[in-house]
Amino acid sequence: MEKKLAKITVNVNEEGYLTDFSQWTKEVGNEIAKEQEIEMTNKHWEVIAYIHEKFKNEEPLSIRGIKKSGVINIKEFYQLFPGGPLKKATMIAGIPKPKSCI
Amino acid sequence: MKNLVILGAGTAGTMMANHLVSKLKIDTWKITIIDQYKTHYYQPGFLFLPFDIYTTKQVKKNGKKFIPKAVTYIQEKIEQIVPDKNEVLLESNKKLQYDILIIATGTKIAPEETEGMKGPMWHKNIFDFYTYEGAKALRNKFREWEGGKLVIHITEMPIKCPVAPLEFAFLADSYFKNKGIRDQVDITFVTPLDGAFTKPKATKALHYLLEEKNIKEVTDFNIERVDYKNHKIIDYADTKVEYDLLVTIPTNMGDSLLERSGLGDDLNFVPTNKATLQTIANKNIFAIGDCTNLPASKAGSVAHFEAEILTENILRYIRSEKLKEEFDGHANCFIETGNGKALLIDFNYTQEPVEGSFPFPGVGPLSLLKESRINHMGKMAFKWIYWNMLIKGVHIPFVSATMSEKGKKLN
């Protein structure tokens, strides 16, 4: 389905995740964050940049990865993206949430 | 004489030995396979062992039986791969030269990665079922267990056979019903993902199973430690889940050989081209099965489809031709749902599991993403297919290496 975020029309799935990463801009990310009641700071964007890097290399995201990222520790990660940090951070980053095979 | 060396004689390695022995000229190529263990396990059977559905004898055989006679089989621990010298070092200091190397060393559980998991309660009231030892110990525990809080828990992704924990929960429901103590057993499924089902079509089609079987879900749970003294698992958000019996899927990691050889990522999986199966770091090293970092499921069916494409690519590599970029992440898995029923899913890197019929479009006889008895019979028949066809590299009729869109309700 289509949705208007920061004056840009993007395609999202039922849960609100972008289905086409090429439509993502920082403004779009900001709008999604607002909907999640998260105010983005530089630290947030550093995490998003790390997530984009992993996504481009097709590496799976995990809490362990965050721990080893050097960007942030896990407690901070939970503080920045409260209540399911991976699923919220991926939504803001415009990439699919971590999934299993069904 | 040229040398092709395969590391690991599990599902993927054994299949490659069988495929290649008929394709390479034996007067030019010497094929060697190395594995330190004598036993070849039927790993899908580990799901059934705890519930006394399979016996221990049904899940293991002598690995040697499945290695072709023309292949040299070395039973020894592998110390290191030295890509600069095209050399494999064995524990006895013996060196093996290779022209082509295939890594098929699989994935292992690493319970020591989580504080308190592999402590004094390991295999007492904390179990895994991804190893022969774990599944057998759990079987013995279940035989005498009188009920309580059963927690089935996934530590982190990726794991081998991502649906097995869910199948385990369904089978546990059936098992305790049959024992007449289901009302004494509280089943909770704990996952780091945002649901037991994570894909839209599967969630829609299958979520009823959890409700029907009264299996509770705890989602977004990223474990920090096991408090084995107070029987609790605790996550980074300080959520606590109590258990009397914890069945956990520990962190999965590639073999430590890859770490020693500098060929693995954070989890010791080998960075591999997802379409050709050539490793990113070395042109004459290929990887197959659970040991790769491919964004595909870690499952025997995936290794089976990969094997057909890798065989072709090894031949192309030898002829100095461009490799076939064909692997699409195809997986095909039966999922037990208990009470003699099962589901079947068929999917790849980009296509999520959907409803439909398989393998004949519109006919079946197997139905996709739907419970049926015939799917369960398929799963049971699969053990025979595994020992007699799959690891011997015999093509399974009507099932292609890449996923077919025919017979699927795609939208």
Side-chain angles (χ1 to χ4, degrees), chain B residues 20 23 61 83 91 104 109 118 150 202 232-233 253 267 277-278 280 289 306 312 315 319 335 356 359 375:
Chain B
L20 290 169
K23 296 274 166 50
K61 289 187 196 291
E91 196 179 30
I109 59 160
K118 205 180 177 180
L150 173 64
K232 280 177 197 151
I233 48 175
M253 291 181 84
L267 288 166
L277 305 174
Q278 188 175 44
I280 304 295
E306 286 173 342
E312 170 68 23
L315 299 177
R319 297 192 298 255
I335 302 171
N375 286 340

Side-chain angles (χ1 to χ4, degrees), chain A residues 15 58 62-64 67-68 74-75 78 87 97-102, chain B residues 113 156 162 193-194 197-199 220 222 236 251 267 274 345 347 353:
Chain A
E15 294 174 308
E58 296 191 86
S62 67
I63 289 285
R64 163 202 290 270
K67 198 156 117 186
K68 287 193 172 178
I74 295 172
K75 285 263 176 318
Y78 271 83
K87 68 175 179 185
K97 68 177 183 185
K99 280 192 288 270
S100 183
C101 52
I102 55 169
Chain B
E113 292 286 320
E156 61 179 315
L193 300 170
D194 71 344
F197 296 101
T198 57
K199 295 203 173 168
D220 301 299
N222 290 294
Y236 287 106
T251 299
L267 288 166
K274 70 173 192 174
I345 54 172
F347 60 103

Side-chain angles (χ1 to χ4, degrees), chain A:
Chain A
M1 63 184 98
E2 287 189 344
K3 189 175 176 180
K4 225 168 166 138
L5 287 172
K7 293 177 191 154
I8 302 167
T9 305
V10 294
N11 296 312
V12 295
N13 67 14
E14 296 97 344
E15 294 174 308
Y17 287 82
L18 257 59
T19 52
D20 179 1
F21 178 64
S22 70
Q23 295 174 332
W24 187 89
T25 63
K26 202 168 170 177
E27 289 71 34
V28 167
N30 228 335
E31 287 299 309
I32 300 173
K34 271 187 206 160
E35 289 182 1
Q36 297 295 317
E37 295 172 8
I38 290 170
E39 185 154 346
M40 297 297 280
T41 64
N42 285 342
K43 201 74 197 168
H44 286 89
W45 290 117
E46 269 182 54
V47 176
I48 300 297
Y50 164 80
I51 287 174
H52 282 160
E53 189 62 33
K54 296 293 265 188
F55 177 67
K56 277 171 200 152
N57 297 332
E58 296 191 86
E59 292 172 37
L61 279 168
S62 67
I63 289 285
R64 163 202 290 270
I66 296 288
K67 198 156 117 186
K68 287 193 172 178
S69 68
V71 177
I72 195 170
N73 68 37
I74 295 172
K75 285 263 176 318
E76 287 174 309
F77 188 43
Y78 271 83
Q79 282 159 9
L80 294 182
F81 303 93
L86 275 180
K87 68 175 179 185
K88 288 201 174 167
T90 48
M91 187 185 272
I92 296 166
I95 66 164
K97 68 177 183 185
K99 280 192 288 270
S100 183
C101 52
I102 55 169

